[in-house]
Amino acid sequence: MEATPGRERLIEQFKADGLKVMFGNPGTVEQGFLDAVDAAEDFTYVLALQETVAAGIADGYARATGGAALLQLHSGVGLGNGIGMLYQSLRGHTPLVVVAGDAGVRYDAMDAQMASDLVAMAKPVTKYATRVTDPRSVLRTVRRAVKIALTPPRGPVFVALPMDVLDELNSEPVLPATRVLTDVAPSPASVGRAAELLAAAERPIVLVGDGVALSGAQNELAAVAELLGADVYEVDSSEVNIAASHPLRRGQTGHMFGPHSKELVGDADGVLIVGTYVFPEVFPELESPFRAGAKVVHIDLNAYEIAKNHPVDLGLAADPQQALRALVGVLEQRLGPQQRAAAAARLDVRTRERVRQERQARSAPDDGTPMAVFLRTLAERTGGDLIVFDEALTTSPLVTRYLPAERPGDYHLTRGGSLGVGFPGAVGAKLARPDRLVVGFAGDGGSMYTYQALWTAARHGIDAKFVVCNNRKYRLLDDNIAQYWRERDIPEHGFPGSFDLSHPEIDFAGLARSLGAGGMRVEKPDEAAAAVGRMLSHPGPFLVDIQI
C-alpha cells in the first residue's frame, strides 16, 4: 500500500469506522491534522467555541445515534477544559473517541510550552487512554480505542497524537475496527436459579438502568415486571428503559440522598437489578438498603458493577435482553397459580392507580404558570412527537408531565452530575436526527456553562430549539441545603448568596441573538403559547427564556 502522511491516513481510518463527523476546537499543535481535515472529502468538522461545548455536542450526537462520536481537543489545555464533560460521558457510558495533539515526541525532554502528560490527565475520565509514539501504529491504536469505546461497558477513550508522528509517512492498512459481540445469554441453570429466587417474592421490585436501553430490552423488562407484579424503579437511568406510562413504573430512586432510595427499596423481599449499579447517590447509604433476607439478583454486562457496593444472591454477567428473555420463559413455566394470582393483583392495583392518576391529570387544569402553559402548548402542537434533551433539573418533573418519556430515543436526561450538557446535547442530537424536532431544556445556571453551543448550531445550520427554565438561582442547591439543614436540625435561614443568579440579570434571549440564534423572553402565561409558535416556525436555532 502506498504510504501517505499519517494525518491523512488517520482520517481514512476514522471514515472506515463510520466516524465522518468530528467535533472540536482547533489548536496549533493539531494544525497539520486539521489542514488535512479541511481538505478531506466526506468528512465534516463541527466547530465549537470551547472544548466543553464540543464534548457536550459529541455526547449528545452519540446518544442520539447509538454509536460512537469523534471529539478533537487541543493539547493539555483543551483536554483540561473538556474533562468535566468527559466525566459526564464516562458515568453515562457514552462511546466517545477523543483525540488530542501535542507538539511532538521529539520535544518530550524539553518541558516546553503547553507540555503535559495527556494520558495521565485523561485516564480518570476515560475507559482507555494512550499516546501514539510510533508512526507505524497510529491506525492500529485508533482501531483498538474504537473497539474499547464500543464494547460494554461502553465509554470514552483517549488517544494523544503527536504532530511529528502524524507528519510521518504511514503505510498501515485502513481497516474497520472490530466490533465485539456481547449478546451473551446466561446458562439455563443460572436463569433457573434467578427465577427461583424471584418467584417466591411477595413484595418484588425491579431496579433498572441504561444497560436495558443499550441492549434494547425494554419489552423483555416489562414482561418480567408484569409476570412478577413488581414495581420498577429507575436508578442510573437517563434513557427510556421503560415507558413512563407503564403502570409498574414508579419513577427514579434519586441521585442525591441514600435514605430516599432506602425508603423505596427497603420493604422488598425480592430484588431484580438490571443494567445499573446501586446506588448512584452523592450521599449514599453505607449499609445495605435492602431488608435482611431479601433475595437479590443482579444482571449486567458490566461485571464490575455487580455486587460492587452491596452483596447479591446471584450475579449474572449477561446481556440484559438475552437474560430477561430467558427469564420470561422460565417464570412462565415456574410460577404457580397462587403466585400468578398475587402478581396479577399487584399489577391490577398499579393499573387502577395509573388510570386514576391520568384521569385526574386530564381533568386538572395546569398551574397557569408560563412554563406550564408553554409545555402544554408544545405537547398539543407536536402531539409529543419530538426528542427532549432534559437538563431542566428542578423543572424536570413539569417537563416530563407534559412530555413523558415514552419511546426509546425520544428522551435523554442529563447524567453524571456536571452541569452544561443540555444545550450542546440538543445540538448533537439534532445533528444526528435532522428529521426530528429536538428541544433542549436547561436551567439558567446550567445553560451558562455551555451557552456557546447556540453559536455552533447557528454556524452549521443545526435547527435545534432551546428553553431556559429561568428561576434566577441554582434552585437544586436551595433544595439540597434545605435537606442538609433538616438532617442536622439547623434552623432554616437565608440561602447562601452564591446560589443566587438574579443580579446582574442575564438577557438570555439577547445573548442567543448575539450568537446567531433567534430568541425571546416569556414573562406572562399569555405569552407562552405564542412563544411555542415562534419557536416552531423559526428557521434555525431558537431559544425561549421562560421566567419561573
Side-chain angles (χ1 to χ4, degrees), residues 253-405:
T253 57
H255 286 183
M256 192 59 60
F257 302 106
H260 175 64
S261 297
K262 183 176 182 179
E263 182 180 353
L264 297 177
V265 308
D267 289 336
D269 58 350
V271 182
L272 173 61
I273 306 169
V274 188
T276 184
Y277 76 101
V278 288
F279 285 91
E281 304 101 352
V282 176
F283 305 105
E285 287 285 285
L286 298 180
E287 304 298 328
S288 175
F290 302 118
R291 62 180 282 185
K295 303 303 180 184
V296 183
V297 176
H298 195 158
I299 299 169
D300 205 324
L301 271 173
N302 187 358
Y304 170 75
E305 298 295 355
I306 297 174
K308 180 178 76 174
N309 292 324
H310 308 297
V312 303
D313 294 278
L314 179 64
L316 300 179
D319 173 65
Q321 185 180 63
Q322 297 290 336
L324 291 172
R325 184 178 295 160
L327 187 56
V328 168
V330 175
L331 286 172
E332 286 177 337
Q333 297 176 1
R334 181 160 300 199
L335 291 171
Q338 289 184 328
Q339 293 169 323
R340 285 180 176 273
R346 292 190 291 267
L347 175 58
D348 182 63
V349 167
R350 294 304 189 203
T351 300
R352 286 187 280 110
E353 285 180 358
R354 180 56 59 91
V355 170
R356 183 169 62 254
Q357 291 167 357
E358 291 177 351
R359 185 184 303 119
Q360 291 172 346
R362 286 193 300 269
S363 62
D366 58 45
D367 60 13
T369 61
M371 181 60 73
V373 174
F374 179 89
L375 290 168
R376 173 174 52 78
T377 306
L378 180 60
E380 292 170 351
R381 289 283 302 271
T382 63
D385 185 14
L386 74 165
I387 296 174
V388 171
F389 214 104
D390 182 4
E391 196 190 18
L393 298 180
T394 54
T395 307
S396 286
L398 195 61
V399 171
T400 54
R401 173 186 170 186
Y402 291 97
L403 302 170

Side-chain angles (χ1 to χ4, degrees), residues 24-25 47-51 53-54 452 455-456 515:
N25 182 262
L47 174 63
L49 295 177
Q50 202 257 13
E51 287 87 356
V53 180
Q452 308 98 312
W455 183 89
T456 297
L515 294 171

Side-chain angles (χ1 to χ4, degrees), residues 23-24 47-59 71 81-82 85 420 423-425 427 449-454 456:
F23 307 92
L47 174 63
L49 295 177
Q50 202 257 13
E51 287 87 356
T52 304
V53 180
I57 296 174
D59 184 275
L71 171 65
N81 285 338
M85 195 62 73
F423 282 6
V427 174
Y449 279 58
T450 50
Y451 215 82
Q452 308 98 312
L454 275 69
T456 297

Side-chain angles (χ1 to χ4, degrees), residues 75-81 83 116-126 129:
S75 192
V77 291
L79 174 59
N81 285 338
I83 277 177
S116 57
D117 188 340
L118 299 179
V119 174
M121 290 177 65
K123 274 187 175 179
V125 292
T126 58

Side-chain angles (χ1 to χ4, degrees), residues 20 29 56 106 139 248 257 311 347 385 468 511:
K20 298 182 179 182
V29 296
R106 72 184 71 177
L139 307 194
L248 291 172
F257 302 106
L347 175 58
D385 185 14
V468 174
L511 187 55

Side-chain angles (χ1 to χ4, degrees), residues 6 32 43 64 72 78 101 120 141 162 236 240 258 325 395 431 447 475 503 534 547:
F43 194 79
Q72 172 262 322
T141 303
D236 191 26
V240 178
R325 184 178 295 160
T395 307
L431 187 61
S447 72
R475 174 61 185 272
H503 59 280
R534 280 193 61 186
Q547 303 296 296

